[in-house]
């Protein structure tokens, strides 16, 4: 398969380049419709353009022509039939979780060194279950996320302005939206359809969810509480007050199911001083806040703080950071992000409207007694203290999303 009709997502191609030819299965994971297929295609095209002896075997389980590949046996038959003994063979499988016991075939192919293997999946259980059981230590995960702001303006041929940032806040980072005129009703209808597909295929069917009305109510609760700390018990107690009895374990299972489908991300709290993870009270952010907006509506006054936090979180994970909610004494730090032994701290606020807000946002960061970079991100046009206040960097959200870290 050769399809040049895509916009290059360089951040992912750069991650996969060093892995080409390595005896590891490369697994692209992420929410359905987030762009995994096109990252796979650009990887295949890069291999083809740099290796004149490459034989690309490409299986897309969303296409009818591959509907006969249903299990490890039929997968192996197809691959064996298409291998070229005189070429360098590369196997790509899109939505590999649709093939029953696929891991058995991949293990055999890997052990025999028959081809360099790449696959994508829309449910994290392929890593915790199928692959982990049979291929532990022999695969590497490459997480694909919604478009960053820099990607969004590239995809939509926009300039980095307040107006394009407002559009990004409204519609989110689903790549296909670049093909849809920015009609809010049309865009939100598309996003609702994507959500329904994810819920049906990657949550309900994949994880045998029975109480679908509760699942939808849980998503609505998460959408209304983006950036708030809570636990499964909090949700269970809240539902009891509404005369709905749901066990805490059921809430936990459904939250895990949504995380496994990459609709939401769980962010744990961590004690900054001892770097110890707290076991209760987490935050949840949407992979794509455009879906969140389509489901619950978007009003600037009520939602701007939630969306700013969601976007900053998504930007950090797209840059490869591992992200936590920080705790220092009784003060909360919105994001404590680590990567390669380095760390940054980020506070997010809509506007630094008065001294009390400045004191809270900067004061929380000043309580951290280390020299790692610290940021306050807001929508203000001015910079407190001339972009740096008592050693803390203040940036407008637009600056933060465009700058390298």
């Amino acid at each position: 398969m050769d399809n040049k009709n895509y916009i290059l997502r360089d951040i992912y191609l750069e991650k996969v380049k060093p892995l080409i030819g390595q005896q590891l299965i490369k697994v692209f994971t992420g929410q359905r419709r987030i762009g995994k297929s096109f990252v796979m295609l650009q990887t295949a095209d890069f291999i083809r353009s740099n290796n004149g002896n490459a034989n690309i075997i490409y299986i897309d389980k969303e296409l009818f022509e591959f509907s006969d590949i249903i299990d490890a046996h039929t997968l192996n038959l197809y691959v064996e039939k298409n291998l070229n003994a005189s070429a360098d063979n590369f196997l790509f499988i899109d939505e590999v979780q649709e093939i029953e016991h696929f891991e058995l075939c991949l293990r055999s192919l890997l052990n025999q060194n028959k081809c360099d293997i790449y696959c994508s999946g829309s449910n994290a259980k392929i890593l915790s279950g199928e692959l982990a059981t049979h291929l532990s230590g022999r695969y590497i995960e490459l997480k694909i996320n919604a478009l960053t702001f820099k990607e969004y303006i590239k995809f939509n041929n926009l300039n980095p302005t307040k107006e394009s940032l407002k559009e990004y806040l409204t519609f989110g980072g689903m790549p296909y939206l670049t093909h849809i005129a920015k009609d809010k009703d049309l865009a939100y209808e598309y996003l609702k359809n994507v959500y329904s597909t994810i819920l049906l295929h990657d949550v309900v069917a994949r994880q045998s969810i029975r109480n679908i009305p509760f699942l939808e109510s849980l998503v609505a609760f998460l959408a209304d509480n983006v950036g708030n700390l809570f636990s499964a018990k909090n949700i269970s107690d809240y539902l009891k007050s509404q005369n709905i009895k749901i066990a805490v374990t059921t809430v936990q299972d459904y939250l895990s199911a949504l995380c496994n489908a990459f609709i939401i991300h769980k962010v744990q709290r961590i004690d900054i001083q001892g770097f110890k993870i707290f076991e209760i009270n987490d935050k949840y952010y949407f992979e794509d806040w455009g879906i969140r907006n389509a489901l619950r509506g978007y009003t600037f006054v009520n939602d701007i703080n939630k969306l700013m936090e969601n976007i900053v979180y998504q930007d950090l994970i797209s840059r490869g950071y591992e992200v936590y909610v920080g705790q220092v004494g009784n003060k909360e730090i919105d994001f404590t992000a680590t990567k390669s032994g380095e760390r940054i701290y980020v506070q997010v606020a809509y506007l630094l409207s008065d001294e009390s807000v400045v004191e809270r946002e900067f004061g929380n960061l000043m309580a951290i007694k280390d020299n790692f970079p610290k940021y306050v991100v807001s929508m203000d046009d001015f910079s407190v203290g001339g972009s740096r206040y008592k050693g803390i960097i203040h940036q407008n959200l637009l600056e933060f999303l465009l700058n390298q870290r």
Side-chain angles (χ1 to χ4, degrees):
M1 180 179 290
D2 187 4
N3 185 344
K4 297 288 187 180
N5 188 28
Y6 56 75
I7 300 171
L8 204 62
R9 300 189 71 179
D10 305 278
I11 55 176
Y12 300 114
L13 186 57
E14 291 306 312
K15 289 178 181 179
V16 78
K17 278 181 183 179
L19 302 172
I20 295 172
Q22 299 294 324
Q23 277 300 98
L24 289 168
I25 298 173
K26 278 66 74 173
V27 186
F28 299 91
T29 61
Q31 179 186 282
R32 199 175 285 260
R33 301 288 179 268
I34 211 69
K36 300 185 301 297
S37 299
F38 288 101
V39 173
M40 294 254 287
L41 285 170
Q42 74 180 33
T43 302
D45 285 341
F46 177 81
I47 291 170
R48 190 181 286 111
S49 64
N50 286 273
N51 183 346
N53 196 41
N55 175 44
I56 305 292
I57 305 168
Y58 202 106
I59 299 168
D60 184 350
K61 279 299 295 174
E62 293 198 330
L63 296 181
F64 180 77
E65 65 182 282
F66 299 108
S67 58
D68 290 341
I69 301 175
I70 59 174
D71 55 23
H73 177 69
T74 49
L75 174 60
N76 192 67
L77 287 176
Y78 182 88
V79 174
E80 291 284 356
K81 180 181 176 181
N82 287 277
L83 288 171
N84 185 339
S86 61
D88 298 325
N89 291 286
F90 299 84
L91 172 62
F92 289 80
I93 309 174
D94 205 355
E95 298 298 351
V96 71
Q97 78 277 354
E98 304 296 332
I99 303 173
E100 190 175 3
H101 301 309
F102 67 87
E103 68 280 1
L104 301 179
C105 175
L106 298 191
R107 180 176 64 181
S108 177
L109 293 170
L110 189 69
N111 287 342
Q112 297 176 77
N113 197 20
K114 288 192 171 183
C115 49
D116 191 12
I117 304 170
Y118 304 76
C119 57
S120 76
S122 298
N123 196 290
K125 285 195 75 176
I126 68 169
L127 298 179
S128 61
E130 291 94 330
L131 284 174
T133 301
H134 295 278
L135 291 162
S136 180
R138 291 187 283 180
Y139 70 87
I140 187 166
E141 180 184 11
L142 298 158
K143 298 176 182 177
I144 311 300
N145 298 111
L147 299 179
T148 64
F149 180 63
K150 291 175 77 171
E151 287 183 310
Y152 184 85
I153 58 176
K154 175 184 176 182
F155 269 55
N156 292 280
N157 195 27
L158 300 171
N159 293 317
T161 63
K162 290 180 184 178
E163 288 70 27
S164 57
L165 179 58
K166 182 179 179 181
E167 186 178 293
Y168 186 58
L169 282 159
T170 303
F171 295 111
M174 293 294 281
Y176 189 77
L177 284 181
T178 189
H179 301 293
I180 299 176
K182 291 302 185 294
D183 176 279
K184 193 172 182 180
D185 292 337
L186 182 61
Y188 280 3
E189 187 61 32
Y190 167 75
L191 292 171
K192 287 177 184 176
N193 289 335
V194 170
Y195 166 73
S196 296
T197 301
I198 296 168
L199 218 63
L200 176 63
H201 289 286
D202 301 319
V203 183
V204 175
R206 180 75 183 173
Q207 306 205 205
S208 302
I209 295 294
R210 295 181 180 179
N211 192 340
I212 297 174
F214 168 65
L215 178 67
E216 293 178 331
S217 296
L218 177 59
V219 174
F221 178 89
L222 295 168
D224 291 338
N225 288 276
V226 168
N228 292 338
L229 285 169
F230 58 85
S231 66
K233 187 177 185 305
N234 295 148
I235 298 173
S236 181
D237 290 344
Y238 168 76
L239 292 170
K240 284 179 184 176
S241 72
Q242 305 297 309
N243 297 315
I244 303 171
K245 292 186 178 180
I246 299 290
V248 173
T249 53
T250 302
V251 177
Q252 291 171 333
D253 289 343
Y254 280 34
L255 285 170
S256 294
L258 291 167
C259 288
N260 284 336
F262 305 104
I263 294 178
I264 57 169
H265 295 275
K266 174 181 174 179
V267 185
Q268 295 179 289
R269 286 190 308 140
I270 198 163
D271 176 15
I272 290 173
Q273 186 171 358
F275 228 65
K276 176 186 175 182
I277 294 176
F278 294 100
E279 295 183 0
I280 61 169
N281 291 339
D282 308 301
K283 290 188 179 184
Y284 289 85
Y285 294 97
F286 278 71
E287 171 62 46
D288 179 69
W289 54 97
I291 287 179
R292 181 256 168 224
N293 293 345
L295 295 176
R296 302 300 287 171
Y298 166 44
T299 59
F300 188 86
V301 173
N302 294 331
D303 298 323
I304 185 61
N305 278 302
K306 301 172 187 175
L307 297 183
M308 286 179 65
E309 275 197 40
N310 208 133
I311 286 173
V312 169
Y313 169 77
Q314 191 269 355
D315 186 74
L316 290 170
I317 62 172
S318 293
R319 294 174 188 261
Y321 284 97
E322 190 169 355
V323 181
Y324 304 91
V325 178
Q327 191 84 24
V328 52
N330 62 352
K331 299 181 185 295
E332 179 187 308
I333 309 301
D334 289 331
F335 300 116
T336 298
T338 66
K339 180 172 66 173
S340 303
E342 296 298 316
R343 195 183 307 173
I344 65 171
Y345 303 101
V346 185
Q347 288 286 87
V348 182
Y350 170 42
L351 294 174
L352 301 176
S353 51
D354 55 47
E355 282 300 317
S356 65
V357 179
V358 172
E359 177 59 32
R360 181 183 70 240
E361 303 299 338
F362 285 85
N364 285 9
L365 291 171
M366 289 166 60
I368 303 170
K369 304 304 180 184
D370 64 37
N371 295 317
F372 290 116
K374 302 172 181 68
Y375 296 85
V376 170
V377 179
S378 75
M379 293 288 274
D380 294 290
D381 291 326
F382 65 91
S383 295
V384 173
S387 80
R388 200 175 274 268
Y389 177 75
K390 297 186 178 180
I392 296 167
I393 303 163
H394 176 213
Q395 288 185 336
N396 179 277
L397 179 61
L398 195 63
E399 294 176 272
F400 184 84
L401 297 177
L402 293 173
N403 288 348
Q404 298 293 329
R405 283 175 296 285

